[in-house]
Amino acid sequence: MHLNKSHLNNSRLSHSHIDSDRAPLDEQPRVRVPRQWRRLLETVGVVGSLFLGGLGTGYFWSARNAEAQALRQREDHLAEIARLRETFDTSLKALAVRVDQAAGTAANAALTAGEAASTAQTAAQTANQAAKSAAKEMKKP
């Protein structure tokens, strides 16, 4: 098989003038990205996937932790409300006993005041009668 120079030149010329829009894929010129750029893209892809994977995992765990924290906080709030209600009930019962005692004391004081008023009225009547008697005796010559 003998190739002459003219055949090679014609072959090169014919390939350089191929309409790339209509040529089959295997006859189209192939453009390759330089090796440094390919390595850079691979590195960016690997580092980016690691970063995004870590970001997604962190978001998932923090969301899960936030839900657990919210549930714990809700339970703590309900327990605190129950504790405050119990303390309020205990205080209210203690105050109710004291209010009943104070009401009894006030009733006794009112009774005593009523008796004192009655005694004072009786004493006033007695003093009034004594004054009238004394006035009558002074009028007697």
Side-chain angles (χ1 to χ4, degrees):
M1 204 159 156
H2 183 337
L3 296 174
N4 60 18
K5 283 186 172 182
S6 66
H7 180 13
L8 285 175
N9 287 339
N10 288 341
S11 171
R12 287 183 186 155
L13 287 176
S14 67
H15 283 296
S16 64
H17 289 78
I18 293 176
D19 185 8
S20 63
D21 290 338
R22 296 185 185 185
L25 286 177
D26 58 344
E27 292 181 10
Q28 289 187 1
R30 190 166 173 202
V31 177
R32 290 187 60 113
V33 178
R35 191 166 62 120
Q36 294 91 351
W37 287 101
R38 283 183 292 170
R39 293 297 258 169
L40 179 65
L41 288 175
E42 287 175 5
T43 304
V44 168
V46 169
V47 171
S49 64
L50 287 173
F51 177 74
L52 291 177
L55 189 69
T57 304
Y59 178 78
F60 169 75
W61 284 108
S62 66
R64 186 172 176 206
N65 188 26
E67 289 176 10
Q69 181 67 24
L71 288 175
R72 244 188 332 258
Q73 192 174 16
R74 182 176 184 270
E75 290 172 1
D76 291 346
H77 282 228
L78 292 176
E80 181 67 13
I81 289 170
R83 187 189 69 78
L84 289 173
R85 281 185 179 169
E86 183 179 330
T87 303
F88 179 74
D89 287 344
T90 305
S91 299
L92 191 61
K93 287 176 185 175
L95 284 176
V97 169
R98 287 185 179 176
V99 167
D100 285 343
Q101 289 174 349
T105 304
N108 287 338
L111 248 164
T112 305
E115 289 174 1
S118 175
T119 305
Q121 185 179 10
T122 305
Q125 287 174 353
T126 305
N128 193 13
Q129 286 176 355
K132 285 183 185 178
S133 297
K136 278 186 188 180
E137 284 202 20
M138 284 200 150
K139 283 189 179 179
K140 284 189 184 179

